[in-house]
Short mmCIF file of all heavy atoms in Angstrom, two decimals:
data_model
loop_
_atom_site.label_atom_id
_atom_site.label_comp_id
_atom_site.label_asym_id
_atom_site.label_seq_id
_atom_site.Cartn_x
_atom_site.Cartn_y
_atom_site.Cartn_z
N TYR A 166 -22.29 7.47 16.87
CA TYR A 166 -21.30 8.46 17.34
C TYR A 166 -19.98 7.68 17.77
O TYR A 166 -20.10 6.46 18.12
CB TYR A 166 -21.85 9.32 18.46
CG TYR A 166 -21.95 8.56 19.78
CD1 TYR A 166 -20.96 8.66 20.74
CD2 TYR A 166 -23.03 7.62 20.00
CE1 TYR A 166 -20.97 7.92 21.85
CE2 TYR A 166 -23.10 7.03 21.23
CZ TYR A 166 -22.11 7.07 22.15
OH TYR A 166 -22.23 6.36 23.37
N TYR A 167 -19.00 8.43 17.83
CA TYR A 167 -17.65 8.00 18.30
C TYR A 167 -17.18 9.07 19.20
O TYR A 167 -17.12 10.21 18.74
CB TYR A 167 -16.69 7.71 17.14
CG TYR A 167 -15.38 7.20 17.61
CD1 TYR A 167 -15.21 5.84 17.78
CD2 TYR A 167 -14.31 8.02 17.95
CE1 TYR A 167 -13.91 5.34 18.31
CE2 TYR A 167 -13.19 7.59 18.38
CZ TYR A 167 -12.95 6.25 18.54
OH TYR A 167 -11.75 5.80 19.02
N ASP A 168 -16.73 8.62 20.41
CA ASP A 168 -16.17 9.62 21.37
C ASP A 168 -14.62 9.80 21.09
O ASP A 168 -13.87 8.80 21.28
CB ASP A 168 -16.47 9.20 22.77
CG ASP A 168 -15.99 10.12 23.88
OD1 ASP A 168 -15.37 11.14 23.48
OD2 ASP A 168 -16.22 9.79 25.04
N LEU A 169 -14.22 10.88 20.67
CA LEU A 169 -12.82 11.18 20.27
C LEU A 169 -11.83 11.06 21.52
O LEU A 169 -10.65 10.76 21.39
CB LEU A 169 -12.62 12.49 19.58
CG LEU A 169 -13.07 12.55 18.21
CD1 LEU A 169 -12.99 13.97 17.67
CD2 LEU A 169 -12.22 11.67 17.32
N HIS A 170 -12.41 11.06 22.65
CA HIS A 170 -11.64 10.86 23.90
C HIS A 170 -11.03 9.43 23.87
O HIS A 170 -9.88 9.25 24.36
CB HIS A 170 -12.49 10.97 25.17
CG HIS A 170 -11.87 11.87 26.17
ND1 HIS A 170 -11.58 11.52 27.37
CD2 HIS A 170 -11.57 13.24 26.06
CE1 HIS A 170 -11.05 12.51 28.14
NE2 HIS A 170 -11.04 13.51 27.33
N ASP A 171 -11.81 8.41 23.32
CA ASP A 171 -11.34 7.06 23.25
C ASP A 171 -10.04 6.90 22.46
O ASP A 171 -9.22 5.99 22.74
CB ASP A 171 -12.35 6.13 22.71
CG ASP A 171 -13.57 6.07 23.60
OD1 ASP A 171 -13.60 6.52 24.76
OD2 ASP A 171 -14.63 5.63 23.05
N ILE A 172 -9.83 7.68 21.43
CA ILE A 172 -8.71 7.41 20.55
C ILE A 172 -7.44 7.76 21.20
O ILE A 172 -6.41 7.16 20.90
CB ILE A 172 -8.91 8.17 19.16
CG1 ILE A 172 -7.95 7.73 18.05
CG2 ILE A 172 -8.77 9.64 19.36
CD1 ILE A 172 -8.20 6.30 17.58
N ARG A 173 -7.42 8.62 22.12
CA ARG A 173 -6.26 9.04 22.80
C ARG A 173 -5.58 7.77 23.44
O ARG A 173 -4.38 7.61 23.38
CB ARG A 173 -6.43 10.01 23.94
CG ARG A 173 -6.75 11.39 23.41
CD ARG A 173 -6.65 12.33 24.66
NE ARG A 173 -6.90 13.62 24.18
CZ ARG A 173 -7.24 14.57 24.95
NH1 ARG A 173 -7.51 14.31 26.24
NH2 ARG A 173 -7.40 15.86 24.51
N LYS A 174 -6.39 6.93 24.04
CA LYS A 174 -5.84 5.73 24.76
C LYS A 174 -5.17 4.85 23.62
O LYS A 174 -4.09 4.38 23.85
CB LYS A 174 -6.97 5.00 25.48
CG LYS A 174 -7.62 5.77 26.49
CD LYS A 174 -8.84 4.95 27.02
CE LYS A 174 -9.87 5.91 27.60
NZ LYS A 174 -11.27 5.41 27.54
N LEU A 175 -5.91 4.63 22.52
CA LEU A 175 -5.44 3.76 21.55
C LEU A 175 -4.14 4.22 20.92
O LEU A 175 -3.22 3.49 20.51
CB LEU A 175 -6.49 3.56 20.35
CG LEU A 175 -7.70 2.85 20.73
CD1 LEU A 175 -8.70 2.88 19.58
CD2 LEU A 175 -7.37 1.37 21.02
N MET A 176 -4.00 5.63 20.86
CA MET A 176 -2.83 6.19 20.09
C MET A 176 -1.54 5.79 20.85
O MET A 176 -0.43 5.82 20.26
CB MET A 176 -2.98 7.62 19.97
CG MET A 176 -3.91 7.98 18.89
SD MET A 176 -4.28 9.78 18.91
CE MET A 176 -2.73 10.47 18.41
N ARG A 177 -1.65 5.51 22.03
CA ARG A 177 -0.38 5.17 22.82
C ARG A 177 0.18 3.82 22.34
O ARG A 177 1.35 3.59 22.50
CB ARG A 177 -0.71 5.05 24.30
CG ARG A 177 -1.17 6.36 24.96
CD ARG A 177 -1.02 6.26 26.48
NE ARG A 177 -1.62 7.58 26.99
CZ ARG A 177 -2.78 7.49 27.63
NH1 ARG A 177 -3.34 6.39 27.95
NH2 ARG A 177 -3.30 8.58 28.13
N PHE A 178 -0.68 2.95 21.80
CA PHE A 178 -0.20 1.63 21.48
C PHE A 178 -0.08 1.32 19.97
O PHE A 178 0.61 0.42 19.54
CB PHE A 178 -1.25 0.57 21.96
CG PHE A 178 -1.46 0.78 23.54
CD1 PHE A 178 -2.62 1.26 23.95
CD2 PHE A 178 -0.46 0.44 24.35
CE1 PHE A 178 -2.78 1.38 25.33
CE2 PHE A 178 -0.58 0.57 25.70
CZ PHE A 178 -1.76 1.03 26.21
N LYS A 179 -0.72 2.13 19.13
CA LYS A 179 -0.81 1.77 17.62
C LYS A 179 -0.24 2.79 16.79
O LYS A 179 -0.27 3.97 17.10
CB LYS A 179 -2.31 1.64 17.29
CG LYS A 179 -2.93 0.34 17.69
CD LYS A 179 -4.35 0.26 16.95
CE LYS A 179 -5.04 -1.00 17.36
NZ LYS A 179 -6.37 -1.05 16.80
N ARG A 180 0.29 2.38 15.65
CA ARG A 180 0.62 3.28 14.52
C ARG A 180 -0.37 3.01 13.43
O ARG A 180 -0.57 1.87 13.12
CB ARG A 180 2.09 3.00 14.08
CG ARG A 180 3.11 3.58 15.02
CD ARG A 180 4.42 3.25 14.47
NE ARG A 180 4.69 3.77 13.11
CZ ARG A 180 5.27 4.94 12.93
NH1 ARG A 180 5.65 5.58 13.82
NH2 ARG A 180 5.41 5.33 11.68
N PHE A 181 -1.00 4.08 12.92
CA PHE A 181 -2.05 3.87 11.97
C PHE A 181 -1.52 3.94 10.49
O PHE A 181 -1.93 3.22 9.67
CB PHE A 181 -3.13 4.84 12.15
CG PHE A 181 -3.92 4.52 13.42
CD1 PHE A 181 -3.61 5.12 14.61
CD2 PHE A 181 -4.93 3.52 13.40
CE1 PHE A 181 -4.25 4.85 15.80
CE2 PHE A 181 -5.56 3.19 14.62
CZ PHE A 181 -5.27 3.91 15.84
N PHE A 182 -0.73 4.93 10.20
CA PHE A 182 -0.31 5.09 8.87
C PHE A 182 1.22 4.99 8.75
O PHE A 182 1.94 5.46 9.70
CB PHE A 182 -0.72 6.43 8.15
CG PHE A 182 -2.12 6.50 7.67
CD1 PHE A 182 -3.20 6.80 8.42
CD2 PHE A 182 -2.33 6.02 6.34
CE1 PHE A 182 -4.49 6.82 7.87
CE2 PHE A 182 -3.61 6.08 5.76
CZ PHE A 182 -4.68 6.36 6.65
#
Side-chain angles (χ1 to χ4, degrees):
Y166 74 97
Y167 181 88
D168 184 356
L169 284 170
H170 230 243
D171 293 346
I172 193 70
R173 283 195 179 156
K174 297 170 208 156
L175 290 174
M176 281 171 71
R177 298 200 187 108
F178 303 110
K179 280 190 182 176
R180 282 175 62 92
F181 291 95
F182 276 91

